Amino acid sequence: MSDTVYDEPGHGIEQAYELSEPPEKVWRALSIQALWEHWLPEAALAGPEPVAVTPGEEVSYRMREAAPPYLESTVTFRIVPNGTGGTCLRIIHDLTDARFAPLTKAAANHNAPRLRAA
């Protein structure tokens, strides 16, 4: 197993793991509650049901911290077969808490102060 961290702008992180197990087995571990409870405690989730599912490819869960400030995030598990019969597992963890929305500002022409020529 190898892992890579991708540094992307935003409020999240992405990691990639090369697993020797076939995609079907990895999908079972991600999508069946009795299996994922062994490595992803239900207490870490805002709810046990996934917020989005693409069967056999991707599943997303909403998470909430157990301690203040109780930040919310979404963790997405994406699986892709690799060339050796194993699986590339990508874990994308995005901070989605609404309290951080005002801190991000979209680019627009009216965001900067006006400059005047002398």
Side-chain angles (χ1 to χ4, degrees):
M1 176 173 85
S2 66
D3 62 324
T4 306
V5 176
Y6 295 90
D7 186 18
E8 296 181 357
H11 296 288
I13 59 171
E14 183 173 336
Q15 296 178 304
Y17 299 92
E18 291 295 327
L19 307 174
S20 59
E21 301 298 331
E24 298 80 18
K25 188 171 184 179
V26 175
W27 178 251
R28 284 175 34 87
L30 296 173
S31 61
I32 298 174
Q33 184 173 356
L35 298 176
W36 60 250
E37 283 180 336
H38 292 288
W39 56 269
L40 179 63
E42 189 175 346
L45 299 177
E49 296 300 317
V51 292
V53 178
T54 303
E57 297 177 14
E58 183 176 289
V59 61
S60 298
Y61 296 98
R62 211 177 63 180
M63 301 183 81
R64 183 178 299 124
E65 289 183 345
Y70 307 107
L71 296 177
E72 290 193 7
S73 60
T74 300
V75 64
T76 300
F77 300 95
R78 187 175 297 152
I79 63 172
V80 177
N82 63 21
T84 62
T87 305
C88 177
L89 170 65
R90 293 187 99 118
I91 302 172
I92 303 108
H93 198 157
D94 288 314
L95 183 60
T96 56
D97 197 290
R99 292 172 284 181
F100 283 93
L103 298 178
T104 59
K105 194 174 201 182
N109 292 336
H110 302 291
N111 286 346
R114 291 187 176 198
L115 300 176
R116 298 186 186 249

